[in-house]
Amino acid sequence: MVAGDFDLIQDTFITLSNRTIDLYLYLEKGFRDQGDYAMLALKKSMKWDEEKFGREYDLNRYMTVAVSDFNMGAMENKGLNIFNTKYILAKPQTATDTDYINIERVIGHEYFHNWSGNRITCRDWFQLTLKEGLTVLRDQLFTEDMTSQGVARIDVVNTMRNHQFPEDAGPMAHPIRPESYLKIDNFYTATVYEKGAEVIRMVRTLLTPDIFRKGMDYYFSHYDGQAVTTEDFIAAMEAASGKELTQFSRWYHQAGTPVLRVKTKYDANKKTYTIIIKQSCPPTPGQENKLPLHLPFAIGLIGKNCEDLTLQLQDENKSVKGTKILEIKKLEETFTFVDIAENPAPSLLRHFSAPVEMQYDYTNEELALLLRCDSDAFCRWEAGQRLMMNVIKAVAEAIAAGKNPVVDPILINGIHQLISKPMRDLNLLSRLLMFPSLKYLLTHLPQIELDVIFEAKTLIEKTVAETLKEAFEKLLKDNILFHDYVYNIIECGHRRIKNCALYYLLKHDKEKYHLLAFEQATQANNMTDQFGALGALNDLAVSHREKALAQFYERYQHEPLVVNKWFSLQASSTLPTVINEVKKLLHHPAFDINNPNNVYALLVTFGQNTLRFHAKNGEGYQLMVDQVLLIDAKNPQVSTRVVQPLTQWKQMDSVRGALMKQALQRLAQSNKLSDNLFEIVSKSVG
């Protein structure tokens, strides 16, 4: 039951069987004008689930209530979903394009739970990934259909690499189906949710989407009204497909991120292309030795003319042009393609076909070709990320050695080719132009000091910006929209690429670009452009940044969700003053440590600020411990989210790692920790 004085939006939905469903959306007083898109997103979700999974809503009424003080994003209570306002409220003046996409995704997620979670539920908490992993996959497929398939996939992979992979490498590493727990609250994790979705996506890839749909039909009809297990789900897939998935089930029980080491060989005389794939998985707590996994490995081969080659395996009679799915089961597998007339660039792990770390020694020339030509959006983006990382590594090593760093022109030329002839999908182009996160770089360049990586990344971005100044100016100008804000994926692309161009132009650190960003931040008619300009200014120690932030707060101080954006901007800045700004904001009248959204916006964001949270003096770690202790006394679910960055101390260099461990030991010495926090701290220190 939820009681309160709410505004109400009402609508109806007509199902495929011509039933009328009454829809009710309850909002906190004063926010009625920000609920219309949420209602539209709900109706889109209902229609999509009927069309894609054959699932019709079963009750005559569907209710949603949005509240501002809520630990979670949302909760799928049957017939009455409870939402955090963050995933309901939207209007052009207060919500970004990303907010609109996330609202649609989360509303879809909770609605899809009606079948994958409510009608069919879990036998026990150990089966949590059965409902959450499956429903995350369903909301991902929904987002792919509503936006851009390739971009949606790239964004999911970014989440996996920046959040789930570190979790797999940390002290709380666990299988998607945990073997034990002290508090189940601690296992609402990226592993159970996002990796769980990847595991079910692999089933879909191995079976093909059509047969997977038959498996889902069998699952929904056979287990309707029951409390089931992950074994039941796999059994449904086997029954519908006739495919044996016993080895595949190891994904439910083994923790850690598998590593695939790939080598290739081209034989010009025989016109064959051979690929050798070795799999392994590093030890995780309680699991030293891992068995080989069954996984799909999607591959394409790109020729010098920028086209996918036709693929035919040795001993197979049919060929395909584009993507071939290879099944990996052994520790080492070898596949040979025939009739390959040239030495191609391999497009590996297409569409991120398995949640693995893939190691392959690409040349920069191969990566540049894939960045320009690959037909698979993920692999095209991945090629750019690897090329950028290679160049960052070379520049960082030069800086560390006291040498004059030189930026490889192959990267600058590659970026120039992208922006000189912009592609149709501007959302994809914007992803291709952005460098890997500092957190991801630190994970893959562990031998290089964090501050040096940051210096190298900054230098390269500035070099790209200065070399391609005219091209970025044109890109910005060509994508200005002069009419009122409209949310659709095409216009999202125009705004996204325009703000990407603005980001690069501000790397010049010139007054005219500061003023351009300031004017957009203070005068744009929509939050996407205002926030994009503030983001471009955010790492610059200039007066326009301070003025823009001050005006932003003054304008939106009565909009709680926008104030949270203001908190997160300041907590994410790479300026050396950021920790002092965070300390001041903890005492700001708009900050309430008892409000989860405030805490996530300020403290969780600061914990994700790889450069400044990990200041070598350890000040960031001690600040976080102070706040965790305060929060834990009242809200253990929130305190366990805030403490997460400290648990990854083994992934840092020895100096920072020791300081992080000391901070955790300080927490461990408290005799007032909640069970939630105690479980995480004790496992992290041990």
Side-chain angles (χ1 to χ4, degrees), residues 171 618 621-622 624-626 628-629 643 645-650 654-673 677-686:
Y621 309 147
Q622 294 304 320
M624 202 63 81
V625 169
D626 292 340
V628 166
L629 288 170
V643 81
L646 290 173
T647 68
Q648 296 166 15
W649 62 273
K650 290 183 180 179
S654 59
V655 174
R656 291 180 173 90
L659 291 172
M660 293 168 76
K661 187 176 182 181
Q662 288 174 16
L664 285 168
Q665 289 170 334
R666 182 182 153 206
L667 282 172
Q669 290 167 3
S670 171
N671 58 4
K672 297 181 180 179
L673 297 187
L677 188 58
F678 173 79
E679 180 176 24
I680 290 177
V681 171
S682 60
K683 288 182 177 179
S684 300
V685 173

Side-chain angles (χ1 to χ4, degrees), residues 450-502:
L450 170 60
D451 296 317
V452 176
I453 295 175
F454 175 71
E455 183 181 350
K457 179 174 181 281
T458 302
L459 185 151
I460 295 166
E461 287 183 329
K462 185 175 182 180
T463 302
V464 169
E466 290 176 345
T467 307
L468 305 178
K469 178 174 71 73
E470 289 79 11
F472 281 117
E473 286 179 336
K474 184 177 186 303
L475 193 63
L476 186 149
K477 182 180 178 181
D478 289 348
N479 287 282
I480 295 174
L481 301 174
F482 294 98
H483 52 264
D484 288 342
Y485 177 93
V486 176
Y487 172 74
N488 61 54
I489 201 61
I490 301 299
E491 297 209 355
C492 285
H494 287 293
R495 286 185 287 269
R496 183 92 182 208
I497 201 63
K498 179 190 69 175
N499 289 323
C500 179
L502 181 63

Side-chain angles (χ1 to χ4, degrees), residues 97-156:
D97 292 336
T98 300
D99 291 329
Y100 277 89
I101 292 170
N102 284 333
I103 286 169
E104 187 173 73
R105 174 182 61 82
V106 177
I107 284 176
H109 179 96
E110 303 309 327
Y111 174 74
F112 302 148
H113 264 314
N114 184 60
W115 277 91
S116 50
N118 292 340
R119 287 283 291 259
I120 302 175
T121 193
C122 301
R123 186 193 67 185
D124 51 61
W125 284 115
F126 295 105
Q127 320 299 324
L128 182 60
T129 197
L130 177 61
K131 75 181 186 76
E132 293 301 347
L134 176 56
T135 306
V136 169
L137 174 63
R138 275 152 52 74
D139 82 50
Q140 289 176 359
L141 297 174
F142 174 58
T143 300
E144 289 176 11
D145 284 348
M146 296 300 109
T147 58
S148 161
Q149 184 186 64
V151 172
R153 190 69 182 128
I154 288 167
D155 290 347
V156 166

Side-chain angles (χ1 to χ4, degrees), residues 392-413:
I392 289 170
K393 181 175 184 289
V395 169
E397 288 174 342
I399 292 172
K403 298 178 181 178
N404 184 38
V406 177
V407 178
D408 191 333
I410 197 169
L411 174 60
I412 298 174
N413 292 337

Side-chain angles (χ1 to χ4, degrees), residues 302-308 342 345 347 350 364-385 387 409-423 428-429 432-433:
I302 308 298
K304 293 181 176 61
N305 62 353
C306 256
E307 290 186 0
D308 283 292
E342 60 178 297
S347 174
R350 284 189 152 187
N364 282 355
E365 289 71 24
E366 287 175 320
L367 293 171
L369 177 69
L370 293 172
L371 176 61
R372 186 173 79 253
C373 304
D374 205 319
S375 60
D376 183 86
F378 162 73
C379 283
R380 191 175 187 181
W381 170 79
E382 172 74 347
Q385 297 289 286
L387 180 57
I410 197 169
L411 174 60
I412 298 174
N413 292 337
I415 292 175
H416 188 223
Q417 287 177 331
L418 289 175
I419 61 179
S420 58
K421 294 181 180 179
M423 60 191 69
L428 175 58
L429 177 59
L432 298 181
L433 294 178

